[in-house]
Amino acid sequence: MNKEFAFSIKSIRFDENYRPSNNTRITTNFANLARGESRQQNLRNTLEMINNRFNNLAHWDNPNGDRYSVELDIVSVDIDVEGNGSTFPTIEILKTNIVDHKENKRIDGIVGNNFSSYVRDYDFSVVLQEHNKNKNGFSAPEGFGDLHGKLFKSFVNSALYQENFNKSPVICLSVSSSKVYHRTGNQHPVLGIEYQQNEFSPTDEYFAKMGLQVRYFMPPNSVAPFAFYFRGDLLSDYTNLELISTISTMEIFQKIYRPEIYNANSAAGMRYQPSLKNADHSITQIVYDREERSRLAVEQGRFTEESFIKPYKVILDQWAASYAL
C-alpha cells in the first residue's frame, strides 16, 4: 500500500470573537480560553499580552513599543483515510502573521507554534497509560508514536502543505519537569540563552518521530527555557521577526497555563529543573481550568480510539508499514 491519505485545511482567526469549532479539542490552549463567562476578556487580554511581548523583543526602530501587532490563525488539518470524503480531525496548529504599523504591511510569521493532536491524546492518555498500568517502572511500548509521527510527516511533506506555507513548522512547548537543563555558552539575540539536557524527555522522543529535532532557549527577559521543535536550522532558516512571533505567542500561553514555570518570580539559573510545584510565581488575570484539561485529555484519547484508530486499524497499519521515512 503506497497511496497517500488526503488532507484538507481550514483556517479561522483567533481574536476576541473566536469561538471553538465542534472539531476542536476543547483542551487546546486557545479553545480553553474561549469558554465561559470570561471568554472575551480572556481573549482580549491574551492578545494584548502577546502584542506587548512582541514589541518588547522587537525593540529596534520601535521607540514607542507599538510598531507591531500579531495576528493568529488556527489551522485545522483533517484526514480522509478511505478517500470517500469522510474526515477525522488530525492536528491543529497556529499560524502567526505580523502587522508592521509603521510600514503599513503584513509579514508572514511561523506556522506551528502550538500543537494540538487527537492521536497524541490517544498515545499519551490511552496507550502509554495502559502499557504502564500496575508496573513499577515507566516505559513506552514498542512502536510508540510511530503512526502519529508518520501522519505528521506525511502532512508536512504534502503538496497541500507546500501550497499553503513557505517554511517548515516550528513548535514551541514547555520544557519537561522531569529533566534537568544546563546553560551553555551559546546566546542568540532573539532566542536568548541556550540550554541543554543530558537525556531527551518522552515528548522530545515523540516529536523526533515526527521528524523534528529540539533545542532549548530562554529568550531575553524570560524566566525559563522553551523547547523549540523544528526541521532544518532554527537559527538561520527564520528571520528575527518570525522567531519573535513564535516566542511572544507561546510565552504568553505558557504564562497562563504553566505560571509555576513561565511566570515564576525568579529566572532559571545555570542548572535548572522546572517544577509545577513552585509556589514562588505570579498568576495572570486570565481564567483557566487545568484540572479539567487533564481529565478531558483522557476522554479525547478514548474518542480517538473509537472514532479513528479502531475503525481504520487495518488501513492505518498497512499504510504505516509501507510509509517511507
Side-chain angles (χ1 to χ4, degrees):
M1 178 179 180
N2 54 20
K3 85 175 189 71
E4 286 299 317
F5 299 138
F7 294 98
S8 57
I9 289 177
K10 292 176 290 186
S11 181
I12 185 173
R13 178 59 49 85
F14 177 74
D15 57 20
E16 63 183 59
N17 299 311
Y18 165 70
R19 291 184 182 276
S21 72
N22 291 333
N23 286 336
T24 292
R25 287 168 64 252
I26 52 178
T27 58
T28 299
N29 289 348
F30 38 80
N32 190 287
L33 294 176
R35 301 166 62 207
E37 296 180 0
S38 304
R39 58 170 304 278
Q40 195 164 52
Q41 193 62 43
N42 276 348
L43 296 170
R44 189 178 296 125
N45 289 347
T46 299
L47 293 166
E48 182 179 1
M49 291 166 68
I50 290 171
N51 289 335
N52 289 341
R53 181 59 169 138
F54 188 101
N55 284 290
N56 171 262
L57 287 168
H59 51 78
W60 59 92
D61 288 337
N62 189 5
N64 297 320
D66 59 0
R67 176 172 175 171
Y68 302 101
S69 58
V70 180
E71 294 178 348
L72 298 173
D73 290 322
I74 301 167
V75 179
S76 301
V77 183
D78 293 346
I79 187 171
D80 183 347
V81 173
E82 295 181 315
N84 59 6
S86 178
T87 63
F88 182 82
T90 311
I91 62 173
E92 277 187 322
I93 47 182
L94 283 178
K95 171 68 169 60
T96 60
N97 300 287
I98 305 153
V99 180
D100 184 339
H101 298 286
K102 178 182 177 182
E103 298 295 333
N104 194 28
K105 65 179 181 181
R106 295 176 80 253
I107 304 166
D108 248 2
I110 284 179
V111 64
N113 302 288
N114 189 81
F115 183 77
S116 169
S117 166
Y118 274 111
V119 178
R120 185 173 65 163
D121 281 341
Y122 166 73
D123 280 340
F124 278 91
S125 298
V126 177
V127 175
L128 201 59
Q129 296 303 315
E130 290 182 352
H131 176 74
N132 288 284
K133 190 175 182 179
N134 299 323
K135 292 183 179 178
N136 293 327
F138 184 86
S139 64
E142 183 178 355
F144 179 71
D146 286 359
L147 173 63
H148 181 270
K150 291 175 180 180
L151 289 171
F152 179 81
K153 285 189 282 190
S154 179
F155 168 62
V156 174
N157 293 333
S158 69
L160 181 68
Y161 184 93
Q162 308 302 325
E163 291 165 4
N164 284 271
F165 309 111
N166 297 323
K167 295 185 180 182
S168 295
V170 176
I171 296 167
C172 179
L173 302 181
S174 169
V175 286
S176 172
S177 58
S178 67
K179 304 302 176 186
V180 176
Y181 300 82
H182 299 270
R183 282 195 185 193
T184 72
N186 190 37
Q187 186 165 350
H188 184 273
V190 166
L191 290 168
I193 299 168
E194 184 164 21
Y195 279 74
Q196 291 181 345
Q197 60 170 321
N198 295 332
E199 59 178 348
F200 289 129
S201 69
T203 298
D204 296 338
E205 294 172 344
Y206 193 79
F207 275 72
K209 294 195 173 184
M210 297 160 59
L212 303 176
Q213 54 187 307
V214 63
R215 292 177 75 169
Y216 315 95
F217 286 92
M218 184 168 71
N221 301 319
S222 296
V223 296
F226 294 85
F228 293 88
Y229 299 91
F230 60 95
R231 304 200 307 181
D233 189 332
L234 179 66
L235 274 62
S236 64
D237 290 349
Y238 305 91
T239 68
N240 284 342
L241 290 182
E242 287 172 338
L243 293 173
I244 290 172
S245 72
T246 287
I247 295 167
S248 58
T249 299
M250 297 312 300
E251 181 174 290
I252 298 311
F253 279 140
Q254 296 295 359
K255 280 188 174 185
I256 296 168
Y257 299 125
R258 285 182 168 82
E260 299 91 341
I261 298 174
Y262 291 101
N263 216 28
N265 294 325
S266 57
M270 296 296 294
R271 179 188 183 278
Y272 176 65
Q273 181 169 11
S275 173
L276 290 173
K277 297 180 179 180
N278 173 34
D280 187 21
H281 67 275
S282 302
I283 302 294
T284 64
Q285 300 301 308
I286 294 175
V287 179
Y288 167 61
D289 190 337
R290 188 155 66 189
E291 290 184 8
E292 178 193 52
R293 189 183 188 207
S294 299
R295 174 175 53 81
L296 290 175
V298 177
E299 295 179 15
Q300 290 166 169
R302 293 296 181 189
F303 163 75
T304 304
E305 183 179 35
E306 297 301 322
S307 303
F308 184 68
I309 300 297
K310 287 183 177 179
Y312 300 120
K313 179 173 174 52
V314 173
I315 299 176
L316 292 171
D317 286 349
Q318 290 177 346
W319 175 83
S322 63
Y323 183 80
L325 296 177

